[in-house]
Amino acid sequence: KAGVTQTPRYLIKTRGQQVTLSCSPISGHRSVSWYQQTPGQGLQFLFEYFSETQRNKGNFPGRFSGRQFSNSRSEMNVSTLELGDSALYLCASSFVAGAAYEQYFGPGTRLTVT
Amino acid sequence: SQKIEQNSEALNIQEGKTATLTCNYTNYSPAYLQWYRQDPGRGPVFLLLIRENEKEKRKERLKVTFDTTLKQSLFHITASQPADSATYLCASGGGADGLTFGKGTHLIIQP
């Protein structure tokens, strides 16, 4: 069974630009969560989607948004990029919603904002 | 909100010994705790989940405990090997806020 895939793997953007990251979950998984990982803050929860609906969202500004499609694939968007948005963005999928179950993480997208 | 604390300093263990990693939570007792392993440049990999009403969970050379009195989980790797060297992350969950992760402990197993 193929794992969680994320594209692109690396991205360099300029302040003020916007970026869209993509995540394809494991086949059959309907829950997709997004996390931001930085050396200073560690892994922080961004949001979770299940059946195309956002179930919950972490403490991030409205510049961070996401969506999920009917095939469970998910995208996250960051608008008006800031230097502090430089991070590894990780997507995780799970068969059911909620954090009570193991999460399967993708390799991440390394975003650098200059 | 919940806060998960892990020893951020690297833990050096000699091969063959038992490595013990600590995870402390500061507020309410989470419904469960999860442990993940992360290698450089890769996403975390799920290892074990322990529920609040479970004292101990085992999987091969791995063992995790959950002590609600101490607000602590311990993660043990017995007969450690250099291949066990990685960053180990503790995470709590149970509400609608996704997983709350600690910053991880970098484990180094020396041959």
Side-chain angles (χ1 to χ4, degrees):
Chain A
K1 200 183 241 186
V4 177
T5 58
Q6 293 187 245
T7 56
R9 291 293 312 278
Y10 303 92
L11 206 51
I12 300 175
K13 289 287 187 178
T14 304
R15 267 184 307 175
Q17 289 186 314
Q18 76 166 19
V19 66
T20 299
L21 311 180
S22 181
C23 170
S24 292
I26 290 173
S27 178
H29 285 192
R30 295 166 61 192
S31 170
V32 174
S33 298
W34 288 89
Y35 293 84
Q36 180 195 67
Q37 187 173 31
T38 59
Q41 298 298 320
L43 266 159
Q44 292 185 287
F45 171 73
L46 279 159
F47 26 65
E48 179 188 14
Y49 286 88
F50 182 80
S51 293
E52 302 178 66
T53 301
Q54 185 180 89
R55 290 188 71 246
N56 43 66
K57 184 174 182 180
N59 189 25
F60 279 83
R63 300 185 297 108
F64 291 81
S65 63
R67 59 177 176 168
Q68 187 180 32
F69 302 96
S70 58
N71 61 358
S72 294
R73 191 177 68 85
S74 177
E75 289 181 347
M76 69 162 281
N77 184 278
V78 188
S79 62
T80 319
L81 283 166
E82 301 176 359
L83 294 177
D85 296 334
S86 294
L88 180 66
Y89 289 88
L90 291 158
C91 162
S93 77
S94 180
F95 184 67
V96 295
Y101 300 89
E102 59 197 79
Q103 307 279 305
Y104 294 84
F105 283 84
T109 294
R110 172 73 63 185
L111 171 65
T112 301
V113 182
T114 61
Chain B
S1 61
Q2 186 69 278
K3 190 174 180 183
I4 301 294
E5 295 174 342
Q6 294 182 259
N7 189 346
S8 59
E9 294 180 7
L11 180 63
N12 285 273
I13 300 292
Q14 193 174 3
E15 181 178 6
K17 302 290 186 184
T18 296
T20 299
L21 285 65
T22 303
C23 170
N24 295 294
Y25 57 91
T26 58
N27 293 328
Y28 57 87
S29 182
Y32 42 82
L33 288 166
Q34 298 189 26
W35 284 88
Y36 289 79
R37 167 184 173 144
Q38 186 173 26
D39 292 285
R42 309 185 76 142
V45 174
F46 173 80
L47 296 174
L48 281 169
L49 179 152
I50 185 166
R51 300 184 189 279
E52 187 180 15
N53 60 354
E54 297 174 317
K55 297 287 187 211
E56 183 180 296
K57 204 89 170 272
R58 291 175 184 263
K59 179 183 176 183
E60 298 173 351
R61 294 185 296 112
L62 310 180
K63 184 179 83 172
V64 63
T65 61
F66 195 164
D67 189 326
T68 55
T69 301
L70 295 177
K71 293 189 174 182
Q72 183 180 85
S73 174
L74 297 179
F75 178 80
H76 307 271
I77 304 175
T78 58
S80 59
Q81 306 165 0
D84 295 326
S85 298
T87 296
Y88 290 84
L89 301 161
C90 173
S92 77
D97 299 326
L99 285 172
T100 299
F101 281 86
K103 293 187 179 180
T105 296
H106 184 43
L107 176 65
I108 301 169
I109 307 298
Q110 297 176 331

